[in-house]
Amino acid sequence: IRMSGSCGLDMAYVAAGRFNVTFEHGDWPRGRGPKIWDFAAGKLIVREAGGVTRNLEKGGKGELDLMGRSCFAACTNELA
């Protein structure tokens, strides 16, 4: 497992094919995890590159919620 320390950079690496998947987990009550500015652009970059993004808070089934604090991105739908 590799993490660069930046959610947006990890998502750009997925879009570029350097990483197969990336995820960040957090929650609002504890104030942990990425915020919208950490992964909003990453969502667009991954989707435009043909990857997929998912919402971890919904068990990985729903589309990435930008107001959430958890995200998952994969380079293919099969990996998601």
Side-chain angles (χ1 to χ4, degrees), residues 38-56:
D38 294 321
F39 56 83
K43 176 182 178 179
L44 177 64
I45 293 168
V46 168
R47 302 244 354 246
E48 289 294 316
V52 294
T53 58
R54 299 283 187 257
N55 188 353
L56 289 177

Side-chain angles (χ1 to χ4, degrees), residues 9-42:
L9 181 59
D10 288 345
M11 292 178 85
Y13 280 175
V14 167
R18 293 182 183 163
F19 289 174
N20 291 325
V21 299
T22 187
F23 73 95
E24 294 278 340
H25 182 67
D27 59 47
W28 281 106
R30 295 183 184 170
R32 295 183 180 158
K35 296 178 178 63
I36 188 172
W37 51 83
D38 294 321
F39 56 83

